[in-house]
Each structure stands twice: as C-alpha cells, then as structure tokens.
Amino acid sequence: MRYISAMSHKIQSVNSKDLVKSQIQSDMNIFLSNFKNYSLGQKTLARRAGVHYKTIQRLSRMENAPGHITLLKVYSVLLGETNSQKLISLLPDVIRNSLIKDQAKLLPLGIDYSAEIKREVLNDKVFCEIYFLIDAGNVSKDLIQFKFGEHGLHILERMYSINAIKYAENGQIVLGSARLEFDTQVIKTAGVMISKKYTKPTNSEVLGDNFLALYVESLPESAYQEWLKIDKEAFIKKAEIAKKYRDVDSGKKVFTYMTTDTFIKGHDEETYN
C-alpha cells in the first residue's frame, strides 16, 4: 500500500529537527488513520518497520528526532517501497534533505539486508567476530581456521549458505550479496563484544597505538546535546577517512566504537523481527 500522493509537505516550524519530526508525524498519522484502533496501528507500523513500539509512540508525539536508519525503516512501510534507492527518491523533501545533509555518504543504498545474518550476529559471538573481520577486509579461510579452529570453518559454511560471504578469485573471503543492517541493537552488541576482546589498555600508555577514554559529568541538556553533536561529526569524519584510504592489502584492521549516554537504565522494550 502506498501513501505517496497523500504525504503532507506543509511544515510550520523553521527548526530542521522540528521539520523532520512534524513531517514524519504527519505521514505516520495518514498511515494510522487506516486503523480503527490507533494503538493497534502503531503496533502494526512498529512490527512492519522492525522498530520498537515505544519508538513509534515517541515519533507520534514528536518527542524525538529519528536517526536515518529509523527514518528509512518507517518510510519503507509508509511508502510501500523496500528498495533503498527507490525509497530515497520517493521520500518527502524534508526527510530526503535531512538524510543528505547528515548522512549523505553513509546511506545504505541498494543493499539486501538479511534478518538471518542479524540473528546470527546477535546470538553467536564467533559469527559476529568473523563477520566483522571479513568486513574489514583481507581474510582467508586459513586465517579463520587458525583463529577459530573447526568451529570457525563451520561458521563459514553457515555464512556461505545464507549469502553472508562469497569467495573471491584470489582466495580471499568477502561479504556476500546479503548484508547485516547496522541498527542500534547490532551496533551495541558488536561494539561491546569487539571492544571487550580487542581493546588493549596497556597500549594506551604510549601515543599512537590506540585511544581509550572515559569521562563522566553532570551536564545541562544543551551541553549534552553538544556532546552528541561532536560524537556524530567525529564518527562521520572517521568514516569518510576510512572510505578514502581503505587498504585491504597492507592496511591494519582497526575498529572504532563510540557511545555517549545518560546514567539512566533503559527498560527492556519489545522488538519485532
């Protein structure tokens, strides 16, 4: 079902975040108007989009400005289009411009995302580690066997069977046609696992080997938002450098995992797969 022509483009606020929040609330309301029960409509949208029900509730109340992954997930349902490249062209101008401005070089276009790969990454630490080693480049079957033994070879067979990997002509293993979607659950799971195993505290005693830091404070909301802005800008810059200088032959495998949050414990939320 499509809702393209009905999308409202009348926005009152001049603030870019408010523009996005108002636009998505308006477009979601059009979708939700097809349900007699508003709450049931929200749950249906959450299930189809693969996001938390509470996220949909917050977006309906204009409490949050959604990230680009959430935007694409929700609009894939609202517009009835799962192809990322087509979806981008169909987005309302406010939403498309926001994506281009903030994440232009990071948008996942034309990717076949796999729910199976996501389940494996979230539930199998070895699968998760091997996937990201391959994503970093220059991985052979011998290397996997050396690091993980026979279990690693079984994981490779599983990855090949679900198109997570393929074998290049030079014998190297590369990612396959099906890919892992980097949503927040995956980012935290993989980030914590990789950091716990590979972060080397003693290397931080000298410059140039790695970077390890922790800072806690009590901040007003405006200062906290500045922190988040700095983190986002820094991550985008690092991603741009990585794409520009990627060297799978002689480059070292590296990772970066960033998080800034409050000392407020989150409640378990229902997820839909």
Side-chain angles (χ1 to χ4, degrees):
M1 191 177 297
R2 294 177 180 270
Y3 299 88
I4 300 172
S5 61
M7 292 291 180
S8 172
H9 295 273
K10 293 180 64 179
I11 306 295
Q12 303 296 324
S13 173
V14 297
N15 181 277
S16 60
K17 286 187 178 180
D18 288 342
L19 289 174
V20 171
K21 289 190 288 186
S22 179
Q23 182 71 59
I24 194 170
Q25 180 199 53
S26 176
D27 296 339
M28 284 173 49
N29 283 340
I30 294 171
F31 175 86
L32 296 172
S33 67
N34 290 276
F35 296 84
K36 293 182 178 180
N37 185 297
Y38 189 79
S39 177
L40 176 62
Q42 289 181 317
K43 291 179 179 178
T44 300
L45 177 56
R47 176 177 54 80
R48 292 182 184 176
V51 300
H52 291 297
Y53 171 51
K54 289 185 178 180
T55 298
I56 297 298
Q57 289 181 308
R58 296 183 188 114
L59 294 178
S60 296
R61 297 191 294 263
M62 291 180 60
E63 293 179 355
N64 298 95
H68 73 279
I69 292 177
T70 301
L71 279 174
L72 292 175
K73 283 184 174 182
V74 171
Y75 272 99
S76 69
V77 177
L78 300 183
L79 296 173
E81 180 58 69
T82 58
N83 181 279
S84 298
Q85 291 177 315
K86 292 180 180 179
L87 178 61
I88 295 296
S89 67
L90 296 174
L91 291 172
D93 291 341
V94 168
I95 303 299
R96 187 188 310 108
N97 292 339
S98 173
L99 292 172
I100 292 173
K101 177 181 177 182
D102 292 341
Q103 301 286 347
K105 296 185 179 180
L106 299 178
L107 286 177
L109 300 178
I111 301 297
D112 177 21
Y113 291 120
S114 168
E116 285 186 277
I117 296 177
K118 178 179 177 180
R119 282 194 291 270
E120 295 285 1
V121 165
L122 293 178
N123 296 299
D124 190 322
K125 292 182 179 180
V126 176
F127 188 106
C128 180
E129 184 177 345
I130 291 176
Y131 185 91
F132 283 97
L133 284 173
I134 294 172
D135 194 11
N138 201 22
V139 172
S140 66
K141 191 173 182 178
D142 288 341
L143 175 63
I144 298 301
Q145 184 173 19
F146 174 76
K147 289 179 67 68
F148 304 100
E150 289 297 318
H151 181 57
L153 297 181
H154 291 313
I155 294 293
L156 287 183
E157 292 177 1
R158 169 63 177 155
M159 297 177 83
Y160 185 79
S161 70
I162 59 176
N163 298 317
I165 63 169
K166 59 184 178 181
Y167 294 92
E169 294 181 358
N170 60 1
Q172 298 296 306
I173 305 171
V174 297
L175 295 183
S177 58
R179 299 294 178 89
L180 172 67
E181 182 179 5
F182 280 47
D183 63 15
T184 52
Q185 189 179 16
V186 167
I187 291 171
K188 179 179 178 180
T189 299
V192 170
M193 186 278 292
I194 293 172
S195 297
K196 184 176 181 180
K197 182 169 183 177
Y198 288 104
T199 296
K200 298 167 280 293
T202 56
N203 284 17
S204 299
E205 296 173 1
V206 295
L207 297 177
D209 282 339
N210 67 4
F211 181 77
L212 183 62
L214 174 67
Y215 194 102
V216 299
E217 190 56 271
S218 296
L219 296 175
E221 182 63 25
S222 59
Y224 179 64
Q225 291 302 317
E226 282 295 310
W227 268 24
L228 298 181
K229 180 181 178 182
I230 291 170
D231 279 356
K232 179 179 179 180
E233 292 173 347
F235 183 81
I236 291 175
K237 288 181 180 179
K238 287 195 284 188
E240 290 174 344
I241 291 172
K243 289 185 177 183
K244 182 177 180 180
Y245 296 103
R246 179 177 173 85
D247 183 353
V248 297
D249 294 322
S250 57
K252 62 173 67 174
K253 293 184 185 298
V254 300
F255 71 93
T256 181
Y257 172 55
M258 301 171 62
T259 180
T260 297
D261 214 325
T262 64
F263 275 98
I264 300 174
K265 187 175 181 180
H267 299 288
D268 289 337
E269 296 176 312
E270 184 176 5
T271 58
Y272 297 95
N273 294 319

